[in-house]
Amino acid sequence: MRYSKTLKLVATSMVASAILVGCGGTSNSANTVTNSGVAVDPQLQGATVFLDENKNGLFNSGELSTTTDNLGNYSLTISSNQVGLPIVVTGGVDLVTKKDFTGKLSVISENTNANLHITPLTTLVYQAKQANPTKDIATIKSDLATQLNISVSDIDKNIVATGNENLLQIALRVQKMAQGIVDSNSSNSTIENVYADIASELSSHPLGTALDNVLNKLNAGSLEHAKLKDLDSELKNVDSNGTLTVDELALSMDNID
């Protein structure tokens, strides 16, 4: 009798434990989410991808991180209470141009295991959210999509996938102009600040006007200002016939200096 009761107690305990695990009571996996995707400028090989827990734009000791593979893929598993923090990518080498990436891109982490690509377009979303914390992400994406003349779903796409040449051109135009402004002798801005300025202008102006307005904050009439105006004019007309592949488009835009 005692032996039988003991078996029943053990069995009951095992069932209860199984129920707890299934409900997340003792399972760590129930409290984490994996964000994964491609870091794009185009694809960034060997780049550092980290969860920017203090939102300072820098990779600090103790922050969760990983490195992109040869195709720019990354995967980062975060806890559920870290959802909403930015995932930032820095460094690495551009798969197409073979040049070092000196910029910085970001995306807002999500409570999903689906792909979460990191591109200049997602960077605009993050900076817009930083400037307007009470504004919901859906509205931010809608406003940006309207001014960029794309669909809302386009913002989250892998822009180096075949058929997304238009998205890639828009994204690289933003990235090259942002980096050009940062590198300008007349600019004291960080890449984050420039993206924030562009995102702010895009809330009510199309891309061309938005970039003009940001450029006009530089010393109008200066050599740097004139060069950047010419750069943007060339970038937007790289593939006027829409015949270039993703790689050809990226190389063509990179060759404009």
Side-chain angles (χ1 to χ4, degrees):
M1 291 292 292
R2 289 181 182 179
Y3 182 67
S4 176
K5 288 181 179 179
T6 300
L7 283 178
K8 289 181 179 179
L9 286 172
V10 171
T12 301
S13 178
M14 291 176 64
V15 171
S17 296
I19 293 173
L20 282 173
V21 171
C23 294
T26 61
S27 173
N28 290 330
S29 62
N31 298 316
T32 62
V33 60
T34 299
N35 287 175
S36 59
V38 182
V40 178
D41 182 60
Q43 302 97 313
L44 295 174
Q45 303 173 316
T48 298
V49 178
F50 65 95
L51 187 70
D52 191 8
E53 296 186 44
N54 58 7
K55 297 185 180 181
N56 68 349
L58 303 174
F59 178 34
N60 301 123
S61 176
E63 289 182 330
L64 188 65
S65 69
T66 188
T67 303
T68 59
D69 66 15
N70 288 336
L71 294 177
N73 298 300
Y74 81 96
S75 182
L76 207 59
T77 299
I78 64 177
S79 64
S80 56
N81 61 3
Q82 293 173 318
V83 169
L85 290 174
I87 297 175
V88 179
V89 58
T90 61
V93 176
D94 188 313
L95 175 64
V96 176
T97 67
K98 307 304 180 184
K99 293 182 179 179
D100 291 339
F101 178 61
T102 59
K104 190 180 296 181
L105 301 172
S106 54
V107 68
I108 300 172
S109 58
E110 295 183 3
N111 189 25
T112 174
N113 288 322
N115 283 348
L116 198 61
H117 306 301
I118 311 174
T119 75
L121 301 183
T122 63
T123 304
L124 288 173
V125 173
Y126 170 64
Q127 292 299 338
K129 181 63 175 177
Q130 283 291 95
N132 302 277
T134 60
K135 195 172 184 179
D136 64 271
I137 298 296
T139 301
I140 288 174
K141 288 183 178 180
S142 178
D143 290 344
L144 287 174
T146 297
Q147 301 303 337
L148 294 174
N149 196 28
I150 59 178
S151 69
V152 173
S153 62
D154 284 338
I155 292 176
D156 298 317
K157 287 182 178 178
N158 177 1
I159 59 177
V160 290
T162 301
N164 288 341
E165 289 81 5
N166 179 56
L167 293 179
L168 180 62
Q169 182 167 7
I170 292 171
L172 291 185
R173 182 180 172 190
V174 169
Q175 169 60 22
K176 286 186 70 69
M177 290 302 295
Q179 195 64 54
I181 292 172
V182 171
D183 295 340
S184 169
N185 291 332
S186 58
S187 172
N188 295 315
S189 297
T190 64
I191 193 70
E192 291 93 343
N193 289 340
V194 176
Y195 263 100
D197 284 345
I198 296 174
S200 176
E201 292 292 339
L202 282 171
S203 64
S204 55
H205 299 102
L207 181 57
T209 303
L211 291 175
D212 278 344
N213 290 344
V214 174
L215 284 177
N216 288 336
K217 293 182 180 181
L218 300 177
N219 183 15
S222 68
L223 181 60
E224 291 85 0
H225 181 269
K227 284 182 176 180
L228 287 169
K229 293 276 284 186
D230 288 343
L231 172 62
D232 186 47
S233 178
E234 292 188 49
L235 289 172
K236 69 180 179 182
N237 293 315
V238 168
D239 191 19
S240 57
N241 296 322
T243 58
L244 299 179
T245 65
V246 166
D247 285 0
E248 291 170 341
L249 179 61
L251 284 170
S252 296
M253 296 186 76
D254 182 71
N255 287 332
I256 298 175
D257 191 352

